[in-house]
Amino acid sequence: MRYPSFRSVLAAAAPVRVAGVHSALGGILAEEAGFGAVWASSFEISAAHGLPDASLLTMTDYLTTAAAVQRRVGVPVVADCDTGFGGAMNVAWMVREYERAGITAVCMEDKVFPKMNSFVAAEHALLDVDAFCHKIEVAKRVQASPDFFVIARTEALIAGAGMAEALRRCHAYADAGADAVLILFRAKVRTEIVEFLDLWSGRLPVVIVPTTYPDWHIDEIAAAGVSVVIYANQGLRATVSSLRHTFGHIRDEGRSAQLESRIATVPDIFALQQLSTWQEFED
Amino acid sequence: MRYPSFRSVLAAAAPVRVAGVHSALGGILAEEAGFGAVWASSFEISAAHGLPDASLLTMTDYLTTAAAVQRRVGVPVVADCDTGFGGAMNVAWMVREYERAGITAVCMEDKVFPKMNSFVAAEHALLDVDAFCHKIEVAKRVQASPDFFVIARTEALIAGAGMAEALRRCHAYADAGADAVLILFRAKVRTEIVEFLDLWSGRLPVVIVPTTYPDWHIDEIAAAGVSVVIYANQGLRATVSSLRHTFGHIRDEGRSAQLESRIATVPDIFALQQLSTWQEFED
Amino acid sequence: MRYPSFRSVLAAAAPVRVAGVHSALGGILAEEAGFGAVWASSFEISAAHGLPDASLLTMTDYLTTAAAVQRRVGVPVVADCDTGFGGAMNVAWMVREYERAGITAVCMEDKVFPKMNSFVAAEHALLDVDAFCHKIEVAKRVQASPDFFVIARTEALIAGAGMAEALRRCHAYADAGADAVLILFRAKVRTEIVEFLDLWSGRLPVVIVPTTYPDWHIDEIAAAGVSVVIYANQGLRATVSSLRHTFGHIRDEGRSAQLESRIATVPDIFALQQLSTWQEFED
Amino acid sequence: MRYPSFRSVLAAAAPVRVAGVHSALGGILAEEAGFGAVWASSFEISAAHGLPDASLLTMTDYLTTAAAVQRRVGVPVVADCDTGFGGAMNVAWMVREYERAGITAVCMEDKVFPKMNSFVAAEHALLDVDAFCHKIEVAKRVQASPDFFVIARTEALIAGAGMAEALRRCHAYADAGADAVLILFRAKVRTEIVEFLDLWSGRLPVVIVPTTYPDWHIDEIAAAGVSVVIYANQGLRATVSSLRHTFGHIRDEGRSAQLESRIATVPDIFALQQLSTWQEFED
């Protein structure tokens, strides 16, 4: 393997900062910026296809993207695997396929398939806790390498089930063999997370996605006891703004001249494509 | 068909402005900005995979992307098909597959497979003119709809073969049945293009890619006799700059707070995903 | 379109005999044998991948195969779409994707995702009838062509819910807009089917899969009121026997000489590949 | 890795008998019959798609199939990689992608891309020997594992270039680092092969494909000095005969009753799908 596993990255230097991406290019730029891992985000990948993050794209689509990222970066990909794409058999198949593709970490959430993106104001049905524990057990049972890493994500707070249920679920997932827990919050204040972290007492590494509290500094997050921080969608959102501005500018100005100094050059792209390395193979 | 063919777009309102993209998301934003068509660019798609634009990705990869764009936009996709992916049989297969996927226009270039991106300072071998004419004839022979549109692209000037050869080739391609010609220039001044347009006298629509002369205004381009202008890579280059800035900012600042006002919001993404339309199907 | 829709084939000459296949090659041979349509069978496609028919393969896998068959045959493909691959939104996506790929008929069953093959002695949970009716309504609402054909398959008898429930469901599915009903029986005697057909009184065309009553003659089936007969897996099962014999023979005999007169020749394969037609495109 | 590499299989027990397949199912049955490896045949895979073996399908198609076979068998897949899918850069990409998919052996031939199947009576243009040697060097340079195995296949005799040229090429390929040579003969008599083997003197393992001399016994083949025998297409040809018979029988008899005792049963298929193993994962 030409890249470290997510487990080894986490062991070496927590907190791990992870950037959400939807293409190899995003992964390359996240690695270049010094992120410790990249998140093959269902939300980003769905958006890149112009589709909602609602289990419309298939495991094939998500895996193809995650593998295309992993083959071009030297940091581990953490694959956002939604609900595990169905039941326990689907989870077994998922782990085999992702691991075969060189992915060293996956994240599954405790919602019912098909899921809806957690930031959508919709009813989010939680899977029965035993059924989700079974999925975790199956994932851990079929992994080929002891290095493989399974993040159990609870949507208890998204579903309005409360802190006690969130904690109960995370402990059950830990009992079932999860390597870390991810707890998602939609609240704009951080009180709930801090409360969770206090009560959790570091039983397993905690992963968070600070989309709704962007002002929380990484040092404070780390001090509060978080091990992994996923900046899950800022890259996508910046891409949208940037394309809107670029296309609008060309439309309005009738030419691209004034953009030139503000956008990457063609040789910059060649470098990201590793062109000169590939040319060494030429006849 | 829920979108017009490229032929009908060109008939309705030349010059057609076309934006290069590598995903459905890019296509959606180009359409939103008012572009008349989108260019499923080999250079952009390769870069999105972190690979050089050198025939490494396969027709499957390019077609999958082009189809994923077309299924989400209401303007036609013009597919960048490199050399036609091999010989004349490959061209026949290509036309069938692209047309089956709903693509109404393709562009083929007169280089030898495997090709290297035209902006790379490398030797660019031209295909024999008769062999390329044969490819054009095959493409036109197998198309199922009379509406299908084949752009013949000459790399004569890229290969250093001179203006006379460029013109000779374009006339041969017109004789072979091409619907338009694309002539690529690497020069930074526009003298050569203007010369070409004068000598060509509008025999067929002319397509240009003004990457190296970004200050040429669309009105001047149209006045010079160009029918289609492809802004082939500005979107990709802006995306790279934007991701570099975004990831660098999060790394340096330790949070994303100050990005928030400058990047698209999560609800903006939901709108691009047509979330509310999809939710109408829910139980 | 170079092939008739399934609706038009059914209108022209019921009963339609349909052969189950898992590749374009199977489709070509079924068409050659005079079958009116081909069934892109989940069971066969799963088996070709060496995997159980249990929603492990994704819609991508099934659609890729169905499309690969349809592009090479002149009879319509009827796509076995399991449960519709999730909920109502998945069904909307499925119909769009299948129709975009040129498929003119799909079949959905009223089990819960992920499903298990109906011939497996397992518990088969039925989806709530209203939820399945909603899926049918969505499928009919999103179809682009009025020609598109949706077969609603009930597993009521497989699930042990009884004849009254099977009938109730089929009537509900007809009310919801289904174009035909498929009722699956695991019984070895035909009494139940005949009873169903009598009670159904031809409200909509009926589709059957006579795997467990192979002695029922097509004329008797037609006389009993069935419109479509799917020989869903005999091709696969014959393929397995044939490969077992062939590989075993080569192993045991140490050569293939005695097989030669009993297997297709290399030129036979060339003909199935339409080699000479393709060679006409050569330079 | 859950299966041995092709190199280790060859080291353990030459001659290795290899069966041509076009699906995981074929691979499973070849392994069951005792073959030491399976050949992911371009000819078979193309035929399964109903397309000629003429570089129409892409590396993506061939790799997808080869990987789908490898993930379900315990013997190594030897991937038929045609010309390497283009030039030397394509070869580098190919080796990386195949190795990443768990394939431990590939075979490249010294024809020009796009190639035509060697049994077709057509002109077969040979690639310049230095250019092909460069491809071999690149393949060996980029392989990640020392275990990876590259078979260099010469079409010199197919192209009518004669025995001296065939030998000259095989020696050059050995010098360039090939792990074995495959020499293809279209002749119906074995004199030429025996001559080749005598002159070659076992410099590297020799691979043959005895399609045109099916009466040559494996023991004689081994005694003559061959290390690997690929029964490249008998499975496909038997499948075609079997499907023709099966579909014709159902058409003629109006039922499948008399086939039942001669074809695999549904439970046989369940066993090949490893259904009971998968069911152990169920909730």
Side-chain angles (χ1 to χ4, degrees):
Chain A
M1 208 156 29
R2 297 155 304 137
Y3 46 89
S5 68
F6 180 70
R7 185 182 297 279
S8 68
V9 166
L10 179 60
V16 181
R17 291 202 270 182
V18 185
V21 304
H22 57 270
S23 70
L25 181 66
I28 292 164
L29 294 167
E31 182 183 8
E32 178 189 282
F35 284 80
V38 291
W39 171 247
S41 155
S42 297
F43 180 58
E44 289 218 1
I45 296 168
S46 298
H49 286 80
L51 291 171
D53 179 24
S55 303
L56 290 187
L57 291 178
T58 69
M59 187 183 93
T60 309
D61 299 308
Y62 293 119
L63 174 53
T64 299
T65 302
V69 177
Q70 188 64 85
R71 73 184 176 191
R72 279 292 285 108
V73 296
V75 292
V77 168
V78 181
D80 178 0
C81 290
D82 286 2
T83 63
F85 307 111
M89 265 197 266
N90 298 275
V91 168
W93 179 235
M94 172 193 87
V95 170
R96 286 181 177 162
E97 287 286 273
Y98 275 77
E99 203 173 2
R100 193 149 33 217
I103 305 296
T104 63
V106 295
C107 176
M108 281 195 297
E109 66 196 59
D110 58 359
K111 284 197 298 208
V112 172
F113 178 93
K115 67 132 210 191
M116 174 53 74
N117 181 275
S118 305
F119 291 102
V120 175
E123 198 189 331
H124 295 279
L126 291 182
L127 188 65
D128 172 78
V129 65
D130 289 339
F132 193 67
C133 285
H134 181 63
K135 284 185 176 184
I136 295 167
E137 285 159 15
V138 164
K140 296 305 294 178
R141 196 194 320 166
V142 304
Q143 71 181 49
S145 159
D147 225 24
F148 194 74
F149 197 92
V150 176
I151 302 169
R153 163 172 164 170
T154 186
E155 303 272 308
L157 296 176
I158 298 293
M163 181 61 71
E165 176 67 8
L167 271 166
R168 186 178 79 92
R169 285 185 167 253
C170 286
H171 281 294
Y173 303 161
D175 292 343
D179 296 298
V181 294
L182 188 162
I183 178 151
L184 206 68
F185 299 82
R186 211 157 47 188
K188 299 234 181 275
V189 288
R190 314 195 297 254
T191 333
E192 259 187 335
I193 315 178
V194 173
E195 185 191 349
F196 175 85
L197 290 164
D198 283 348
L199 294 166
W200 181 248
S201 303
R203 182 174 175 197
L204 281 183
V206 173
V207 184
I208 67 160
V209 180
T211 300
T212 52
Y213 24 91
D215 58 341
W216 207 11
H217 191 278
I218 183 69
D219 295 342
E220 299 171 290
I221 294 175
V226 172
S227 299
V228 182
V229 185
I230 303 177
Y231 297 92
N233 47 54
Q234 288 79 5
L236 169 70
R237 291 157 58 202
T239 299
V240 167
S241 300
S242 172
L243 287 174
R244 279 202 163 122
H245 175 264
T246 301
F247 291 152
H249 180 97
I250 295 173
R251 174 199 60 211
D252 294 341
E253 301 298 324
R255 59 188 145 206
S256 65
Q258 290 180 44
L259 292 171
E260 291 296 313
S261 61
R262 283 177 280 161
I263 65 180
T265 64
V266 168
D268 286 341
I269 305 296
F270 290 161
L272 292 167
Q273 293 173 320
Q274 298 189 314
L275 176 61
S276 58
T277 304
W278 281 97
Q279 284 183 303
E280 288 166 19
F281 297 125
E282 277 190 335
D283 307 326
Chain B
M1 210 157 31
R2 298 155 304 134
Y3 45 88
S5 68
F6 180 70
R7 185 183 296 279
S8 67
V9 165
L10 179 60
V16 181
R17 291 201 269 183
V18 186
V21 304
H22 57 268
S23 71
L25 181 67
I28 291 165
L29 294 167
E31 182 183 8
E32 178 188 282
F35 283 80
V38 292
W39 171 248
S41 157
S42 297
F43 179 58
E44 289 217 2
I45 296 168
S46 298
H49 287 80
L51 291 171
D53 180 24
S55 303
L56 289 188
L57 290 178
T58 69
M59 187 183 93
T60 308
D61 299 307
Y62 293 120
L63 174 53
T64 299
T65 301
V69 178
Q70 187 65 84
R71 72 184 175 191
R72 280 292 285 108
V73 296
V75 292
V77 168
V78 181
D80 179 359
C81 289
D82 286 3
T83 63
F85 306 111
M89 265 196 267
N90 298 276
V91 168
W93 179 235
M94 171 194 87
V95 170
R96 286 181 176 160
E97 286 287 272
Y98 275 76
E99 204 173 2
R100 195 151 29 219
I103 305 295
T104 64
V106 295
C107 177
M108 282 194 295
E109 66 195 61
D110 58 0
K111 285 197 297 210
V112 171
F113 178 93
K115 68 132 209 191
M116 174 52 73
N117 181 275
S118 305
F119 291 101
V120 175
E123 197 189 332
H124 296 279
L126 292 181
L127 188 66
D128 172 79
V129 66
D130 289 339
F132 193 67
C133 286
H134 181 63
K135 285 185 175 184
I136 296 168
E137 285 160 14
V138 163
K140 296 304 295 178
R141 199 196 316 167
V142 303
Q143 72 182 49
S145 158
D147 226 25
F148 194 75
F149 197 93
V150 175
I151 301 169
R153 163 172 164 171
T154 186
E155 303 272 309
L157 296 176
I158 298 293
M163 182 61 71
E165 176 65 7
L167 271 166
R168 185 178 80 94
R169 285 184 167 253
C170 286
H171 281 293
Y173 303 161
D175 292 343
D179 295 299
V181 294
L182 189 162
I183 178 151
L184 206 69
F185 299 81
R186 212 159 44 189
K188 299 231 182 277
V189 288
R190 315 195 294 255
T191 333
E192 258 187 335
I193 315 177
V194 173
E195 185 191 349
F196 175 84
L197 290 164
D198 283 348
L199 294 166
W200 180 248
S201 303
R203 182 175 174 194
L204 280 182
V206 172
V207 184
I208 69 162
V209 180
T211 301
T212 52
Y213 24 92
D215 58 340
W216 207 11
H217 192 277
I218 184 69
D219 295 341
E220 298 171 290
I221 293 175
V226 171
S227 299
V228 182
V229 185
I230 303 176
Y231 297 92
N233 48 53
Q234 288 80 7
L236 169 70
R237 291 157 56 202
T239 298
V240 167
S241 300
S242 172
L243 287 174
R244 279 202 164 122
H245 175 264
T246 300
F247 292 150
H249 180 96
I250 295 172
R251 175 200 59 212
D252 293 341
E253 300 299 322
R255 60 188 143 204
S256 65
Q258 290 181 46
L259 292 171
E260 290 296 313
S261 62
R262 284 177 281 159
I263 65 180
T265 64
V266 169
D268 286 342
I269 306 296
F270 290 161
L272 292 167
Q273 293 173 320
Q274 299 190 312
L275 176 61
S276 57
T277 304
W278 281 97
Q279 284 183 302
E280 288 167 17
F281 297 125
E282 276 189 336
D283 307 326
Chain C
M1 208 155 32
R2 297 154 306 135
Y3 45 88
S5 68
F6 180 70
R7 186 182 295 279
S8 67
V9 165
L10 180 59
V16 181
R17 291 202 269 184
V18 186
V21 305
H22 57 269
S23 71
L25 182 66
I28 292 164
L29 294 166
E31 182 183 8
E32 179 189 282
F35 284 80
V38 292
W39 171 246
S41 157
S42 296
F43 179 58
E44 290 217 0
I45 295 168
S46 298
H49 287 80
L51 291 171
D53 179 23
S55 303
L56 290 187
L57 291 178
T58 69
M59 187 183 93
T60 308
D61 299 308
Y62 292 120
L63 174 53
T64 299
T65 302
V69 178
Q70 187 64 86
R71 71 184 176 191
R72 279 292 285 111
V73 296
V75 293
V77 168
V78 181
D80 179 0
C81 289
D82 287 1
T83 63
F85 307 110
M89 265 196 268
N90 298 274
V91 168
W93 179 236
M94 172 194 88
V95 170
R96 286 182 177 159
E97 286 288 273
Y98 275 77
E99 203 172 2
R100 196 151 27 219
I103 305 297
T104 64
V106 295
C107 177
M108 281 194 297
E109 66 196 59
D110 58 0
K111 284 197 298 210
V112 172
F113 178 91
K115 67 133 209 189
M116 174 51 74
N117 182 274
S118 305
F119 291 101
V120 175
E123 197 190 333
H124 295 280
L126 291 182
L127 188 66
D128 171 78
V129 66
D130 288 339
F132 194 66
C133 286
H134 181 63
K135 284 185 176 184
I136 296 168
E137 285 159 15
V138 164
K140 297 304 295 178
R141 197 195 318 167
V142 304
Q143 73 182 46
S145 159
D147 226 24
F148 194 75
F149 197 92
V150 175
I151 301 170
R153 163 172 165 171
T154 186
E155 303 272 309
L157 296 177
I158 298 294
M163 181 62 71
E165 177 67 6
L167 271 166
R168 185 178 79 92
R169 285 184 168 254
C170 286
H171 281 293
Y173 303 161
D175 292 342
D179 295 300
V181 294
L182 188 162
I183 178 151
L184 206 70
F185 299 83
R186 212 158 45 189
K188 300 233 180 275
V189 287
R190 315 195 295 253
T191 332
E192 258 188 335
I193 316 178
V194 172
E195 184 191 349
F196 174 85
L197 290 165
D198 284 347
L199 293 166
W200 179 248
S201 303
R203 182 174 173 196
L204 280 182
V206 172
V207 183
I208 68 161
V209 180
T211 300
T212 53
Y213 23 91
D215 58 341
W216 207 10
H217 192 277
I218 183 70
D219 295 342
E220 298 172 289
I221 293 175
V226 171
S227 300
V228 182
V229 185
I230 303 177
Y231 297 93
N233 47 54
Q234 288 79 6
L236 170 70
R237 292 156 56 201
T239 298
V240 167
S241 300
S242 172
L243 287 174
R244 279 204 163 118
H245 175 263
T246 301
F247 291 150
H249 180 96
I250 295 173
R251 175 199 58 212
D252 293 341
E253 300 298 323
R255 60 187 142 205
S256 65
Q258 290 180 47
L259 291 171
E260 290 295 315
S261 62
R262 284 177 281 159
I263 65 179
T265 64
V266 168
D268 286 341
I269 305 296
F270 289 161
L272 292 167
Q273 293 174 319
Q274 299 191 312
L275 176 61
S276 58
T277 303
W278 281 97
Q279 284 183 302
E280 289 167 18
F281 297 124
E282 275 188 336
D283 306 325
Chain D
M1 209 156 29
R2 296 153 307 135
Y3 46 88
S5 69
F6 180 71
R7 185 182 297 278
S8 67
V9 166
L10 180 60
V16 182
R17 292 202 270 184
V18 186
V21 304
H22 57 270
S23 70
L25 181 66
I28 292 164
L29 293 166
E31 181 183 8
E32 179 189 281
F35 283 80
V38 292
W39 171 246
S41 156
S42 296
F43 179 58
E44 289 218 1
I45 296 167
S46 298
H49 285 81
L51 291 171
D53 179 23
S55 303
L56 290 188
L57 290 178
T58 68
M59 187 183 93
T60 308
D61 299 308
Y62 292 120
L63 174 54
T64 299
T65 302
V69 178
Q70 187 64 84
R71 72 184 176 192
R72 279 292 285 109
V73 296
V75 292
V77 168
V78 181
D80 178 0
C81 290
D82 287 1
T83 63
F85 307 111
M89 264 196 269
N90 297 275
V91 168
W93 180 235
M94 172 193 86
V95 170
R96 286 181 178 162
E97 285 287 273
Y98 275 76
E99 203 173 3
R100 193 148 34 215
I103 306 296
T104 63
V106 295
C107 177
M108 282 195 296
E109 66 196 59
D110 59 359
K111 285 198 297 209
V112 171
F113 178 94
K115 68 132 210 189
M116 174 52 75
N117 181 274
S118 304
F119 291 101
V120 175
E123 196 188 331
H124 295 279
L126 291 181
L127 188 66
D128 172 79
V129 66
D130 289 339
F132 194 67
C133 286
H134 181 63
K135 284 185 176 185
I136 295 166
E137 285 159 15
V138 164
K140 296 304 294 177
R141 197 195 318 168
V142 303
Q143 72 182 47
S145 160
D147 226 24
F148 194 74
F149 197 93
V150 175
I151 302 170
R153 163 172 165 172
T154 186
E155 303 272 309
L157 296 176
I158 298 293
M163 182 60 72
E165 176 67 7
L167 271 165
R168 185 178 80 92
R169 284 182 169 255
C170 286
H171 281 293
Y173 303 161
D175 292 343
D179 296 299
V181 294
L182 188 162
I183 178 152
L184 206 70
F185 300 81
R186 212 158 46 191
K188 300 233 181 276
V189 288
R190 313 194 297 253
T191 333
E192 259 188 335
I193 315 178
V194 173
E195 184 191 349
F196 174 85
L197 290 164
D198 283 348
L199 294 166
W200 180 248
S201 304
R203 181 174 174 197
L204 280 182
V206 172
V207 184
I208 68 160
V209 181
T211 301
T212 53
Y213 25 90
D215 58 340
W216 207 10
H217 191 278
I218 184 68
D219 295 342
E220 299 171 289
I221 293 174
V226 171
S227 300
V228 182
V229 185
I230 303 176
Y231 297 93
N233 48 53
Q234 289 79 6
L236 169 70
R237 292 157 56 201
T239 298
V240 167
S241 300
S242 172
L243 286 174
R244 278 202 165 121
H245 175 263
T246 301
F247 291 150
H249 180 96
I250 294 173
R251 175 199 59 211
D252 293 341
E253 300 298 323
R255 59 187 145 207
S256 64
Q258 290 180 46
L259 292 171
E260 292 295 315
S261 62
R262 282 176 281 159
I263 65 181
T265 64
V266 168
D268 286 342
I269 305 296
F270 290 161
L272 292 167
Q273 293 173 320
Q274 298 189 313
L275 176 61
S276 57
T277 303
W278 281 97
Q279 284 183 302
E280 288 167 18
F281 297 125
E282 276 188 335
D283 306 326

